[in-house]
Each structure stands twice: as C-alpha cells, then as structure tokens.
Amino acid sequence: MTHRVVITAAVGLWAVALSLGVARPAGAFGAAAALRSGATHAVVVASAPLSRYAAFVGSPETLVTTYRVVPKTPAPAGSPTSAPTPAAAAQREPLEPSEETTYRRGALYHEIDRGAGVSVESGFNGHSYWSSNENRYMVTALEDAARRAITSNALDSGGVIPEGTATRELGSETVDGAMADVVRVTPPGGISADLAIDHATGALRRIVIDPEDRYRHATVHIIDYKEIAPGVRVPAHFRYGNGPQHELLRGAVQAVSDAELAAPTPSSVWAFGNGDPVPIDVERGTVIGRRVILRASINGHAGRFLLDSGAGQILLYQPYARSLGLTMLGRTSYSGVAGGVNTARFARAETIAVGDNTLSNVVVAVSERDPNFVAPYDGILGFDLLAGALVHVDLVKAAVTFADPTQFQPTIEKGAYAFPVNLADNTPEVLVKVGNSTTRATIDTGDDHFATLSDNLITSGRLVSLPLGTIYFTGVDGITPEPATCYKLNEISVGPYRYQGASICLAKEAVFGKDGGLIGFDFLRHFNWTFDYTRSHVVMTPNGQ
C-alpha cells in the first residue's frame, strides 16, 4: 500500500500538491518571490521589454511587503437535504485568510507565511535556499527546488537580473486586454520563465514558471500595481492560476536587519532517553511488502502508527485523534499517489513519546480516513518524527532507537552506504540508475513495492522494456484512477546496490514528474535504516534478509 503523504497548509499557494511536487507556499518554491524587486548582484539585461519593466518597478536595496490571501470557499457538494459526512462538512467550512510577509535586502530574503494557526518560512542566506515547515524544521532546496528558487529570486530584481541570464524574445500577445511583449529568461542554474511585459507601461502582466513542463509549470497573473515609494512599484493584487487573490496590505522601502533575514529554529523539542531499543512490529503489507508499525503515545494516549519516511508530516486519524485533547488549529489538506485531496486540520500535540524519548510541542494534521483506505493503525509518523533525531531501525531485531544527532553520529558498518538525500519536500530523495538513465526516487518505508518510477522513462525513450502487467495503487487519498504498468529490468542501481531482473512499475508523469518515484519496502527490507536528516543522510546497512 502506497502512503505518499504531502501536507499543504491553507496559507499555501497550491490547493493541491502533486505527490512529488514542491508543496511549499514560500517564495523559494513558488513564484511569489518573482513579484518583488531588490536583487543587487546583477546587471541590466540587453532587452527592451526587460528594460521597460526595470524602469517601471524600480530597484530598491531593501523592501518589506505583506500580502493578504483570502481563499475561495468551496461550493457545497452532495444533496442539500442529506446529512453531510464529517469529511463533506469539513469541505464546506470557509478557509481562513492568511498573510505572506517578505523581508528583502538585495538578493537575500526571508518570507513568512502565516495562516491556519501555523506558519511556514523560506529564504536565501547568500549560500543556499531553504524552507521550514509548521514545526520550523528547516531543509535546503536542492536540484529542481533550487532551480526554481534561483529563477524566482532572479526575477525579484525586475528587469535587472544576474549576469549570464539567457533571454529570448518570443513575440507579442494580448494579456488581460493589453498588448504585451513576451520574454523568456533562464538565469544561470535556474529554470526558464516567460514574462509578459505590458508594451505601453512596462508593467509585468503575467509570469509562467517552467513553461515547457506541462505538469509543473505555474502561472502568476499580476492584476495591478501600487507605488509604495517614489519610483518603486509592487503588485497590489495578483493570483496564481485560478487561485485566490493576493492583496497588498503593506509595502515599504525600509531597513531590513540580520534578525529579520535569519532562518528559524525548530519549535518542537526532543528529550532523548537512555538509548534503549523500542520494539516495533514488522507486519505483512496488503500487497507484496511489509511495513513498520511503531507503538507511541500522543498526549499520553497509546496508539499504533505507520513509520513512513515518504510522509512529509505527521497525520492522525479519527476517531483516535478525538481522544487526545489536541489544540485544534486551522484547515489544511493532504494528497498521495492517487492525486486526490483530503481535508484535514492542523492541531498541536503537547507530546509524542516513543519509549523514553519525547518530542514536545508538535504540529500535526488530523483527518477522517478516506473510505477507500483501510489501515490497521491510528496515524502516520513521517518527517517531523525523523527531522530532529538520529533514528535507527533494525528490521532483524525488530527495534528502533532514537539518539541526539548533536551528540551521536551513525555507524557506517562494512557494506553500508550513507545516501546523501534531498529533503526539499520533507522526504528523502536519492538518485536511481535504470539501465543507462539516471532518475530520482524517494526512500518510502510506507510503500509496499520494490520501486515505482515515472512513466516518462518509457515515453521519453530513456527506457525500453516489455510490460508485464498493470496494478492500481491505494494510498491515503484513495485508489489511483489509472493503473501503473510494470516492467522487468535488466538492472536497477540504488547507490552501490545493483539488482538484476528486478520488476518495477511506472506511474503517470502527472504524479511523479519527469524524474521521480518511490523506493519501497520490497527493496528496503534488505537493509536496516538510519535516518540522519540533520546531516541530510540515510544510512542503509545490509541485514542479510
């Protein structure tokens, strides 16, 4: 059973997050930062439309803006005379407004998005792009996330963007009733973006991030501007695709301190015990693999939980969650490999205890179970349980241990390998070689299968193989609407570990993107695992199984 959970806040830019898409409503991962100005490590690009835009918006050294977002209220569903289910009733509740504040000094920025009783943040510190989740655990943007962040930050300067940026004028078209010149820009190390610049005024009317990717592209519509200082204009209203409108509340050219640019520290706090092993249950899954069930107590109430490295948050199910005395917060949603969206609420748990290890002050998500998803456990323990601890899972001894990563480092035994992992979406992604092609996949302890990758491998011609059959995935968001086709490979390599004659399944590119997928329990059962997220590693130690 595939448990690919992505939690998205009501403060977010996206109502739905694809299972391997970046689900962060911060400038480093979306197009929000592309609307602001201020980068100084730049040169003027020799393009008439970009020059007009630069003159229109201005280039202040420092800038602070706050936008208010009022989400659209979902239309009522179902019969008006029938009693709604808890899930349907939650769907009809109005979403809470949110605010997005950005502090910018030149190329450096710090964005804080507040809503639904929580906040998420992102920024650039001069060396790397980062984001933090509702518990303020910070990860670095790498690969695709970093490329998007580079482009968004480059566009922050208006028409003044980094030296070496490739530009190409694509002609003119009518955008929102005005003639606009369209220019494609590709900053060094970034992805492409198409800018539609008003031919008469120089105002930016539309941004399309990653225009060549039919599944990952994002469109921003700029409705109008406001002059907040002499010669300095920022968008007064804008929206993402068909999403809610963002309205400027405050904008000022003012000093920005180092403290305002600083990244957050985690708000959840570990108290580690004496390091004794905690028993786990390694249970047979519903298809071909197995799963790790962890016994833990939340606010003193015992429960059974799936340990799921493919989950970007902690998710608790009703009715168990009702007994915990949680502090309920605002609405959110989550999705999985099926591409569906389930409503949930953020909540704050006082404690999560595993053995004599206790994590305090933890934001979690609470949801009714999807009727198509039957699971013999009370919730899913994902990123937030793993982010601040050194967690070792021994499948042979059926035990897990927790340690303080500031005091201990993982043991690298003979034959073990410390995988460098990309945690940009709060799950551990690694490189995978299929034949002669290199792709990426998430180490997903909640997935039954050996490996599931993007069908772009086949459709692009990078992989040639005969199909064996098809399967349907079942996850936290229901059953996939379309089957995944399975193939037998000559060889697949994950790090130094090579497998010949392995069977993998390929899911739609709409789910995983061009390069993405899952490494599941049928592969992972051959190893003991050590999650060392503070150093961006997962150690795999062969266990002889």
Side-chain angles (χ1 to χ4, degrees), residues 344-397:
R345 277 197 175 276
F346 283 120
R348 191 176 301 277
E350 292 181 9
T351 59
I352 298 178
V354 184
D356 59 357
N357 309 282
T358 302
L359 181 62
S360 301
N361 189 35
V362 192
V363 174
V364 301
V366 175
S367 176
E368 300 284 346
R369 296 177 192 268
D370 187 286
N372 296 313
F373 177 68
V374 179
Y377 39 81
D378 299 305
I380 295 172
L381 301 180
F383 176 77
D384 292 284
L385 187 78
L386 304 172
L390 185 65
V391 183
H392 177 69
V393 179
D394 190 320
L395 296 182
V396 176
K397 297 180 179 178

Side-chain angles (χ1 to χ4, degrees), residues 135-138 264-269 388:
N135 288 306
R136 308 183 81 186
Y137 284 120
M138 190 176 73
T265 57
S267 53
S268 298
V269 179

Side-chain angles (χ1 to χ4, degrees), residues 100-407:
E100 301 171 357
T101 298
T102 301
Y103 302 90
R104 174 167 289 279
R105 185 203 300 158
L108 310 181
Y109 73 89
H110 179 195
E111 182 172 323
I112 307 172
D113 297 351
R114 299 179 177 90
V118 299
S119 64
V120 294
E121 305 179 34
S122 68
F124 178 61
N125 58 19
H127 303 285
S128 61
Y129 293 89
W130 57 268
S131 68
S132 65
N133 72 351
E134 298 80 15
N135 288 306
R136 308 183 81 186
Y137 284 120
M138 190 176 73
V139 296
T140 300
L142 301 173
E143 299 182 2
D144 284 349
R147 287 189 281 271
R148 283 182 172 266
I150 288 169
T151 295
S152 292
N153 203 23
L155 295 179
D156 288 355
S157 63
V160 185
I161 57 179
E163 185 175 5
T165 295
T167 65
R168 181 159 60 99
E169 297 190 20
L170 303 179
S172 300
E173 63 179 273
T174 301
V175 177
D176 295 330
M179 184 58 65
D181 301 310
V182 181
V183 181
R184 177 164 296 177
V185 298
T186 309
I191 60 175
S192 296
D194 289 349
L195 312 183
I197 300 169
D198 192 299
H199 185 79
T201 66
L204 185 59
R205 296 296 181 190
R206 185 188 66 204
I207 304 171
V208 181
I209 300 286
D210 208 0
E212 298 295 332
D213 193 319
R214 58 177 174 166
Y215 296 114
R216 304 299 188 201
H217 73 274
T219 301
V220 187
H221 301 276
I222 300 92
I223 300 167
D224 55 10
Y225 283 82
K226 180 179 181 179
E227 189 171 34
I228 62 171
V232 177
R233 297 179 178 90
V234 298
H237 300 88
F238 67 93
R239 72 178 189 277
Y240 297 84
N242 295 320
Q245 184 169 277
H246 292 56
E247 176 186 7
L248 180 69
L249 290 183
R250 297 175 294 278
V253 177
Q254 64 184 58
V256 174
S257 67
D258 290 346
E260 289 170 322
L261 291 172
T265 57
S267 53
S268 298
V269 179
W270 273 105
F272 295 101
N274 57 18
D276 288 343
V278 179
I280 59 175
D281 298 321
V282 183
E283 297 182 348
R284 175 65 59 181
T286 57
V287 186
I288 56 176
R290 289 180 284 179
R291 58 190 170 217
V292 168
I293 299 298
L294 194 62
R295 298 182 183 276
S297 295
I298 299 181
N299 287 359
H301 295 257
R304 286 167 38 90
F305 304 92
L306 177 72
L307 181 62
D308 188 357
S309 61
Q313 239 246 26
I314 293 174
L315 176 64
L316 306 180
Y317 291 124
Q318 304 286 22
Y320 169 78
R322 293 192 187 96
S323 67
L324 305 180
L326 301 171
T327 301
M328 302 304 295
L329 305 172
R331 280 187 59 190
T332 182
S333 62
Y334 64 92
S335 64
V337 290
V341 181
N342 289 2
T343 59
R345 277 197 175 276
F346 283 120
R348 191 176 301 277
E350 292 181 9
T351 59
I352 298 178
V354 184
D356 59 357
N357 309 282
T358 302
L359 181 62
S360 301
N361 189 35
V362 192
V363 174
V364 301
V366 175
S367 176
E368 300 284 346
R369 296 177 192 268
D370 187 286
N372 296 313
F373 177 68
V374 179
Y377 39 81
D378 299 305
I380 295 172
L381 301 180
F383 176 77
D384 292 284
L385 187 78
L386 304 172
L390 185 65
V391 183
H392 177 69
V393 179
D394 190 320
L395 296 182
V396 176
K397 297 180 179 178
V400 60
T401 56
F402 290 77
D404 185 345
T406 66
Q407 302 296 320

Side-chain angles (χ1 to χ4, degrees), residues 417-486:
Y417 183 71
F419 283 88
V421 293
N422 180 1
L423 294 166
D425 74 340
N426 297 341
T427 63
E429 189 180 67
V430 296
L431 295 178
V432 177
K433 189 172 183 182
V434 181
N436 294 320
S437 296
T438 299
T439 186
R440 301 187 298 270
T442 293
I443 295 172
D444 189 352
T445 62
D447 174 44
D448 280 359
H449 302 86
F450 184 88
T452 307
L453 303 175
S454 170
D455 68 356
N456 181 270
L457 289 168
I458 288 287
T459 59
S460 67
R462 292 183 289 165
L463 175 66
V464 178
S465 183
L466 294 176
L468 297 174
T470 59
I471 63 171
Y472 285 86
F473 290 110
T474 301
V476 292
D477 55 344
I479 301 173
T480 51
E482 297 184 52
T485 303
C486 302

Side-chain angles (χ1 to χ4, degrees), residues 405-421:
T406 66
Q407 302 296 320
F408 298 92
Q409 293 193 19
T411 301
I412 311 297
E413 300 177 5
K414 183 178 180 181
Y417 183 71
F419 283 88
V421 293

